[in-house]
Amino acid sequence: MERKEDKPLSYWIYDTPAGDVTVLATEKAVVELLFGAQDPQGAKNDENIHQYDAIIELNQYFYGQRKAFDLAIAYQGGEAGRVYDAVRSIPYGSTKTYEEVAKIAKSKPEKVKEFLLHNPIPILIPCHRAVEGENDLGIYCGDVELKRKLLRMEKTNVNREFHAPDYAD
């Protein structure tokens, strides 16, 4: 996984079951995922392999076929990076509290919330899996209803398995 942003940026807009997302990438990795169709300043409306990979993996995720993302993503290091790494370790269909994430990341729950509210790559860094408590979803960089929808979808699909067809006679 990379953590350094390389220019130039390109973007591509993709329609998902969660609505339009704008995927920004460099020649090395996906660096941002924005909710909604956006025209980011300084980015070229063009596609590259990392956006293509993101779209394939997002499509698989939304249809319950993908439980973890394997594509190249880039985000800052330091304390924020530790928080994002901790959140990426939360299993599909599960949640951890901000306090639990803070312990893993050697941070404070308030800082965890701040970093997750400004998560540059939501869904791919699954900040929707970090919650305030058992009955409190807490904050989300998208809207809380989208967070609820993503968690519900994961709980529904957590045990779903897909197998390639057997064409042998």
Side-chain angles (χ1 to χ4, degrees):
M1 148 191 7
E2 303 201 22
R3 298 216 173 174
K4 181 180 174 227
E5 285 192 36
D6 294 303
K7 301 286 179 187
L9 279 176
S10 62
Y11 73 95
W12 204 16
I13 298 168
Y14 176 58
D15 181 27
T16 75
D20 287 340
V21 295
T22 302
V23 180
L24 286 94
T26 66
E27 293 176 1
K28 300 208 179 217
V30 172
V31 296
E32 201 166 354
L33 189 147
L34 306 169
F35 291 113
Q38 299 190 35
D39 185 11
Q41 185 176 3
K44 188 169 116 180
N45 186 359
D46 195 13
E47 60 191 68
N48 69 28
I49 189 67
H50 300 293
Q51 291 155 311
Y52 182 73
D53 288 346
I55 288 166
I56 288 173
E57 291 195 16
L58 283 167
N59 196 41
Q60 292 168 338
Y61 167 79
F62 282 114
Y63 290 97
Q65 296 171 303
R66 177 166 291 279
K67 308 294 193 254
F69 296 99
D70 298 323
L71 65 152
I73 61 174
Y75 51 92
Q76 70 189 77
E79 186 177 2
R82 290 194 313 272
V83 168
Y84 297 146
D85 288 342
V87 168
R88 291 182 75 206
S89 75
I90 302 172
Y92 181 95
S94 301
T95 59
K96 287 196 183 296
T97 65
Y98 299 128
E99 190 170 313
E100 291 170 318
V101 171
K103 284 180 185 175
I104 295 167
K106 297 177 178 48
S107 186
K108 294 183 174 148
E110 301 76 34
K111 292 296 282 184
V112 167
K113 289 181 198 179
E114 180 183 330
F115 291 130
L116 296 184
L117 190 57
H118 298 98
N119 176 2
I121 317 171
I123 302 175
L124 303 179
I125 297 174
C127 57
H128 59 277
R129 295 180 191 156
V131 298
E132 186 71 47
E134 188 174 323
N135 296 314
D136 185 352
L137 294 181
I139 53 105
Y140 189 56
C141 56
D143 67 37
V144 177
E145 191 51 42
L146 176 57
K147 182 175 186 169
R148 183 182 328 281
K149 181 179 179 178
L150 293 171
L151 290 172
R152 193 174 325 128
M153 178 196 72
E154 287 187 9
K155 289 206 185 299
T156 299
N157 292 328
V158 72
N159 293 317
R160 193 172 181 192
E161 291 184 29
F162 289 85
H163 303 282
D166 184 7
Y167 295 112
D169 288 330

